[in-house]
Structures are given as structure tokens and as C-alpha cells.
Amino acid sequence: MPPLSEREADVLLRKATEAPYTGRYLNNHAAGTYICRQCGMPLYHSEDKFESGCGWPSFDDAVPGAVRRVPDADGQRVEILCAHCGGHLGHVFEGEGFTDKNTRHCVNSLSMSFAPAGSEEEKAAFARAKAVAACTGTAIVAGGCFWGVEDAFHKLPGVCEAVSGYTGGHVPAPGYEDVSRGDTGHAEAVRVTFDPSKVTYEQVLRRFFEIHDPTQLNRQGPDVGEQYRSAVFYLDEEQKAVAEKLMARLRELGYKVVTQLRPAGAFYEAEAYHQRFAERTGRGACHLAVPRFERRADGSPVE
């Protein structure tokens, strides 16, 4: 997708709202599909769009699984996000009686692009959604600043998505400022979803150990604190065994691994402005791969 404009970024990443009656799709009646402006995933079919008179495009249904509902920060409304990238779309309301489905998705035009029916853009959006549906594998890791970890995983073939977030602590639903204090127990972490037919969990973890230094305790380079610790949060005993095997192998090669191995708990997605940060800004892409499994800790090659 093309880079977001500043106004689009305000809405998708910073949860702003465009002025009513100004959106380019408010009076669009063409057949097609509305897709997320940030990630290109299909969100709404044109046949589900209706006139509500509210000043923003309205839909009484979404593409199955495309939109996620979360409590709004105002404590009253329900916010809607792109289920794939977490971009802010608008709000959803029920019980107003506009249509038989009794639901109104009130969406900012700036959050969307429109793909005419039968266009290559529409076909590409649904092909993208089909590919994501094959991404049934999940890995959760922490290795320093999540900007760089996330960016490195986006470049690994077979990875469908990498999402920055917080996990491993005792404070529910933390924000960046909370975690940055270093007293929540949470680590800056990344949840990686992948297609198991293209890349295995072991290959994902191998890349994890290559893109950060697992011998640094509660830090990663200049980032110091428990929130920057090295950790693998396993989802089942099979993942735990894979992590133990790779960590044992690194120790055999002379690396003094301090990576924590913990069962996965609640994962809280980081604020939208943290997602794909390196890709969007050109900053934070600092986690370069080091072939740790091919060289010993003293630099000598593995025979």
C-alpha cells in the first residue's frame, strides 16, 4: 500500500475523526469493496453500505472477521479497528433501527480505499485475505525495542504479520507509558503469525535468536530495563521443547543465554502508532540478523 498521508495517519494511527460530510466515500454508490487504507485487507462490501444521515459512510455489516470491536477510550462507545493491522476505522452503534440488521458501522473515509467490483485491486485484497487465513501459526517473543523485532519478522518469508505489544507482566491493559516505567513486569514483545506450510515455529525462533542478543540481561543495546528483556512466551509444550532445544544449542556453542522461557499469557497490542513503525518512518530497523547457529560465541565457525 502507498504511504499514509498525514491526515490518514491521524485517523488510522492516532484515532482522529474526519469532519462530517467531508469524506470522499460518503456519497459513493459504486459496486465494489472498501479495503483498509493501511494494510489493504477487505473491510466492507458495497451492498452493506446505507444512507444514515450521520455524515460518515455507514455499513450495517462487515466482511466476516475483518473488523474488531474494542471499548472506546471514552468509556461509552465501541471502537472498530481493522482486525488485521489494528488501524482505527470509527465506531459501531446498535439499536438505531436504520436497517434490518440494526447495526451501523460509522467509518472514516480516510481509513479506507475503494476497489471497484471486478478490479485487480479488489481481487488482490481478497487474495491477501485468503493468504492470511492460512496463517495459523503463532509465536510470541521479546527481544528489546519492539520496533526492530517487528520489522525483522516482517521480512521473514512465511510470516503473515508481526504485531508489537506488551506481555509477561501483572498490570492489565498497559499502555506504552506504563511499560516504559519498567515496573509493570511487561516486556515490549511481538506476536508473530505465520503460515506453517512456508516456515516452521523452529525457523521463526531461530530468526528470533539471530536478530537480538540473547546473552544480555534485561537490556538490548542502549535500551535498558526489564521491559527490554529477552524472552520466549510459549503457547504449548511443543513450542516450549523447541525453545529449550535452540537455547541448549546456543549454550553448546558458548553463548551465555539469559532468555526467559515463560508460558504465554495475555498479549496487549501496542498503540497503533507503534505498529510497522520502522516501515513507516525509516527509524528503528536496528535488529540485524547474526548467524549465531553457524558460529561459536568466540567467532569460530561451526564445523
Side-chain angles (χ1 to χ4, degrees), residues 144-167:
C145 176
F146 47 25
W147 294 343
V149 176
E150 178 208 285
D151 181 67
F153 275 119
H154 274 134
K155 298 172 182 174
L156 179 64
V159 166
C160 309
E161 187 58 279
V163 176
S164 292
Y166 316 109
T167 194

Side-chain angles (χ1 to χ4, degrees), residues 46 48-53 56-60 98-99 103-105:
S46 58
D48 295 317
K49 189 172 184 289
F50 68 96
E51 298 296 330
S52 69
W56 292 273
S58 299
F59 305 85
D60 65 2
F98 284 111
T99 72
T103 299
R104 174 171 62 95
H105 289 243

Side-chain angles (χ1 to χ4, degrees), residues 14-291:
R14 295 181 280 274
K15 304 182 187 296
T17 300
E18 65 191 10
Y21 299 102
T22 63
R24 57 181 170 172
Y25 299 127
L26 177 62
N27 297 311
N28 181 37
H29 303 292
T33 302
Y34 294 84
I35 65 178
C36 177
R37 176 63 186 83
Q38 180 165 238
C39 68
M41 294 289 282
L43 296 173
Y44 298 100
H45 295 297
S46 58
E47 55 263 36
D48 295 317
K49 189 172 184 289
F50 68 96
E51 298 296 330
S52 69
C54 71
W56 292 273
S58 299
F59 305 85
D60 65 2
D61 206 351
V63 172
V67 174
R68 184 160 54 88
R69 302 185 182 195
V70 298
D72 190 85
D74 65 12
Q76 299 179 359
R77 295 177 299 174
V78 176
E79 182 186 3
I80 46 177
L81 309 172
C82 171
H84 182 62
C85 70
H88 173 74
L89 303 176
H91 295 86
V92 64
F93 304 90
E94 295 182 326
E96 297 174 323
F98 284 111
T99 72
D100 291 340
K101 293 183 179 180
N102 214 15
T103 299
R104 174 171 62 95
H105 289 243
C106 183
V107 188
N108 291 281
S109 290
L110 288 168
S111 295
M112 304 182 292
S113 294
F114 180 72
S119 66
E120 291 303 314
E121 186 180 7
E122 185 182 53
K123 294 175 183 176
F126 283 101
R128 190 178 296 113
K130 183 178 179 180
V132 168
C135 300
T136 57
T138 301
I140 301 175
V141 296
C145 176
F146 47 25
W147 294 343
V149 176
E150 178 208 285
D151 181 67
F153 275 119
H154 274 134
K155 298 172 182 174
L156 179 64
V159 166
C160 309
E161 187 58 279
V163 176
S164 292
Y166 316 109
T167 194
H170 56 270
V171 175
Y176 181 69
E177 297 301 323
D178 301 317
V179 175
S180 295
R181 291 197 310 268
D183 60 1
T184 65
H186 287 291
E188 288 196 10
V190 174
R191 183 181 62 211
V192 181
T193 55
F194 58 94
D195 183 344
S197 70
K198 298 179 180 179
V199 63
T200 66
Y201 179 73
E202 181 169 340
Q203 289 171 319
V204 170
L205 274 200
R206 283 177 68 97
R207 178 57 58 91
F208 166 66
F209 284 115
E210 292 173 341
I211 61 174
H212 86 294
D213 187 347
T215 70
Q216 294 190 345
L217 181 64
N218 290 337
R219 68 175 297 165
Q220 200 63 207
D223 297 317
V224 179
E226 185 184 22
Q227 68 269 34
Y228 297 113
R229 66 188 182 273
S230 172
V232 173
F233 301 94
Y234 58 88
L235 278 71
D236 52 38
E237 291 302 308
E238 184 178 349
Q239 288 193 352
K240 180 181 180 182
V242 170
E244 289 175 332
K245 181 182 76 171
L246 292 179
M247 291 163 65
R249 177 54 178 159
L250 287 174
R251 291 185 176 113
E252 289 175 0
L253 296 175
Y255 295 96
K256 297 179 180 180
V257 176
V258 297
T259 303
Q260 291 183 356
L261 185 57
R262 299 284 187 271
F267 181 90
Y268 302 99
E269 291 188 16
E271 295 82 349
Y273 66 86
H274 287 299
Q275 308 302 334
R276 293 183 176 267
F277 183 86
E279 178 184 317
R280 290 186 291 103
T281 67
R283 298 160 47 206
C286 52
H287 286 62
L288 304 179
V290 176

